[in-house]
Amino acid sequence: MVVLVLLLGAVTIRAEEDSGNRGAQVFAIAGCANCHTARNGPPLAGGDPLRTPFGIFHPPNITPDPETGIGRWTYGDFVRAMREGRAPDGTPYYPAFPYTSYHRMTDADLWALWAYLRRVPPVRAPRRDHELSFPYGLRSGLHLWQWLFHDPRPFVPDPDRDGTWNRGAYLVLGPGHCAECHTPRGWFGQLDEDRLFAGNPDGPEGTKVPNITPDPEVGIGRWSVDQIVFYLRVGMRPDGDFAGGPMAKVIENGTSRLPDSDLRAIAVFLKSLPPRR
Ligand code: HEC
Ligand code: HEC
């Protein structure tokens, strides 16, 4: 009997560790800290200014502080923000918050992420207004934008592909939100779906984001699966250069913390894309 109780105890602890670990991994690949944590600031209490062609965004405090953070939110509020890009009162968010990718996350991953966010120490730090150029400052325009460009449905696996490919597609298109930087944008800031992953000359912080389709000249067609895995783990390109700019953060806070099987899945998915320019 005692043995059984001990055993059950061990199993419960194991399950809790696993879900904690899952939350940490989802948090890592989703890169929430890259925007919501300021350099040398407390975790998730509001990020550094985010410079975009539409103006400057100030990513808000998402710690559980009830006044200035999201401490009063329910899990339903959180799911709505992540899938529909709406605040609890229905106000639409700017797609600078990449819900345009996060909506693909599974219920299990959203739940693990929510549990992780609830454990972050609450910090009192009021939000700052964004500084956007006309007409982007008019939030009401986002209702039309979402109607035109946002489809809040979760990821649907492709039954004609294997588990590795589907895992990679999910991580890249969903929590990893890789397309948000690696795809050029149209006039209204929407992703240009015809040129998915073909690179973006107007990337975040004025960076030029490279093409990561298998095009052999302008993309990563000459990289092997192992070389892509190594890059996402360590940040070193096949030619010996190290990743810089926003990608250095994506690797350090994100992909370097994932298991090998996930990095391999990402590489397999990228290799399967049609080459685009
Ligand atoms: C590329 C930068 C970026 C990333 C990455 C990012 N966010 Fe945000 N987030 C923003 C911006 C900018 C806003 C403000 C949007 C607005 O005002 O319309 C925001 C708003 C939010 C809000 C709404 C807060 C409120 O008080 O209304 C929540 C919740 C949120 N983000 C959670 C997350 C989570 C969780 C992650 C990781 C899964 C994440 N964000 C990743 C930029 C980002
Ligand atoms: C915040 C913007 C951003 C996000 C999100 C992002 N990247 Fe990048 N990525 C960049 C930038 C910028 C570079 C160029 C880095 C450099 O100059 O060293 C880059 C470089 C790369 C490269 C190397 C390409 C080359 O030719 O050197 C690969 C591969 C890559 N990213 C894959 C990914 C994957 C996979 C994801 C999603 C898990 C991702 N990136 C998410 C901005 C981003």
Side-chain angles (χ1 to χ4, degrees):
M1 192 57 203
V2 175
V3 174
L4 183 63
V5 169
L6 281 177
L7 257 176
L8 281 176
V11 168
T12 330
I13 290 168
R14 194 58 225 279
E16 270 170 16
E17 273 173 4
D18 278 357
S19 72
N21 193 25
R22 177 172 194 159
Q25 278 181 11
V26 176
F27 178 73
I29 182 67
C32 318
N34 295 343
C35 287
H36 287 277
T37 302
R39 208 168 305 122
N40 306 320
L44 304 183
D48 291 318
L50 192 69
R51 280 163 228 285
T52 74
F54 309 98
I56 301 171
F57 290 93
H58 296 283
N61 178 352
I62 56 166
T63 71
D65 181 67
E67 305 297 332
T68 61
I70 59 170
R72 293 217 181 95
W73 284 30
T74 64
Y75 175 57
D77 293 335
F78 179 65
V79 172
R80 186 171 196 209
M82 297 290 284
R83 290 238 170 95
E84 294 173 37
R86 300 275 176 137
D89 68 1
T91 311
Y93 289 124
Y94 286 99
F97 165 27
Y99 59 85
T100 39
S101 293
Y102 294 150
H103 71 89
R104 296 192 179 88
M105 290 172 70
T106 59
D107 292 341
D109 277 0
L110 284 177
W111 177 253
L113 179 58
W114 175 245
Y116 181 93
L117 293 175
R118 300 312 273 178
R119 289 197 300 269
V120 171
V123 175
R124 212 185 146 74
R127 65 181 54 243
R128 292 179 59 188
D129 288 337
H130 308 312
E131 300 151 60
L132 307 177
S133 42
F134 183 81
Y136 307 110
L138 302 174
R139 209 179 261 277
S140 53
L142 291 169
H143 287 284
L144 179 63
W145 192 93
Q146 290 191 339
W147 186 74
L148 286 172
F149 302 120
H150 185 55
D151 171 358
R153 276 176 298 185
F155 178 76
V156 181
D158 179 346
D160 295 334
R161 303 279 195 162
D162 66 10
T164 302
W165 186 93
N166 274 304
R167 176 73 181 153
Y170 171 71
L171 289 170
V172 167
L173 299 171
H177 68 283
C178 317
E180 302 282 343
C181 289
H182 283 279
T183 301
R185 289 181 185 267
W187 281 98
F188 305 105
Q190 82 282 21
L191 295 179
D192 182 349
E193 301 285 343
D194 294 334
R195 298 188 58 221
L196 216 54
F197 301 108
N200 181 5
D202 298 314
E205 305 302 313
T207 48
K208 220 175 147 293
V209 186
N211 184 318
I212 53 168
T213 75
D215 185 286
E217 306 300 329
V218 297
I220 55 171
R222 298 217 174 96
W223 297 30
S224 67
V225 164
D226 285 336
Q227 285 172 328
I228 299 174
V229 169
F230 190 72
Y231 179 80
L232 296 174
R233 169 80 57 219
V234 180
M236 195 170 88
R237 293 161 38 102
D239 65 8
D241 260 6
F242 277 90
M247 192 61 199
K249 277 206 221 170
V250 170
I251 295 169
E252 189 188 331
N253 297 336
T255 55
S256 68
R257 299 171 190 227
L258 297 187
D260 250 16
S261 55
D262 278 350
L263 298 187
R264 197 154 287 280
I266 291 176
V268 164
F269 174 71
L270 291 180
K271 295 288 278 183
S272 80
L273 292 169
R276 295 191 184 98
R277 294 192 170 203

